Amino acid sequence: MPHEINIVLLGTGSAIPSAKRGCAGVYLHINGEHLLADAGPGTLRQLARIGVTHMDIDRVMITHFHPDHCADLVAILFAMHSSNPKRLKPLFIYGPRGLETLLKRLDKAFYGW
């Protein structure tokens, strides 16, 4: 059975601002599943630009905790929490050691969102 794979580079830049390149983010559509590898600032907007909403994402993979790779994780989670209708399908988030602590601290910082 052939695999359907679509890869879109949403951002390939670094933490240094550039008018030509956004921070790290790669969207993968593999056999109907929507994956996001890294979520640097602007990733959520870049997803919208290609017609993918925050509600479509099934899995997020964070490679490391530099802000240019993970800062939009906050925006994505907040958008999912704030959406109407509410998101019903699970979101799986993968990352390096410390991810669970980060998510707990974000939850505390944003009062249980």
Side-chain angles (χ1 to χ4, degrees):
M1 178 176 171
H3 295 285
E4 178 187 326
I5 300 174
N6 184 26
I7 300 171
V8 179
L9 302 176
L10 302 170
T12 60
S14 68
I16 308 302
S18 168
K20 295 183 180 184
R21 295 171 62 191
C23 292
V26 178
Y27 168 73
L28 301 98
H29 188 237
I30 303 172
N31 296 329
E33 191 167 41
H34 303 271
L35 298 97
L36 181 62
D38 284 332
T43 300
L44 190 58
R45 185 188 64 79
Q46 289 291 82
L47 284 170
R49 186 183 59 79
I50 64 168
V52 177
T53 75
H54 57 284
M55 298 295 270
D56 294 325
I57 299 299
D58 297 300
R59 299 177 190 276
V60 177
M61 297 160 282
I62 301 297
T63 59
H64 60 284
F65 296 130
H66 289 169
D68 59 320
H69 286 258
C70 70
D72 247 18
L73 182 58
V74 173
I76 291 166
L77 293 172
F78 194 78
M80 287 181 180
H81 174 77
S82 302
S83 291
N84 189 7
K86 293 289 184 194
R87 181 184 174 94
L88 298 177
K89 68 180 179 176
L91 174 68
F92 298 93
I93 305 174
Y94 307 90
R97 179 177 293 135
L99 177 63
E100 186 175 349
T101 300
L102 173 65
L103 293 173
K104 285 178 182 177
R105 288 181 180 170
L106 289 173
D107 185 58
K108 184 176 180 181
F110 292 105
Y111 307 106
W113 53 298

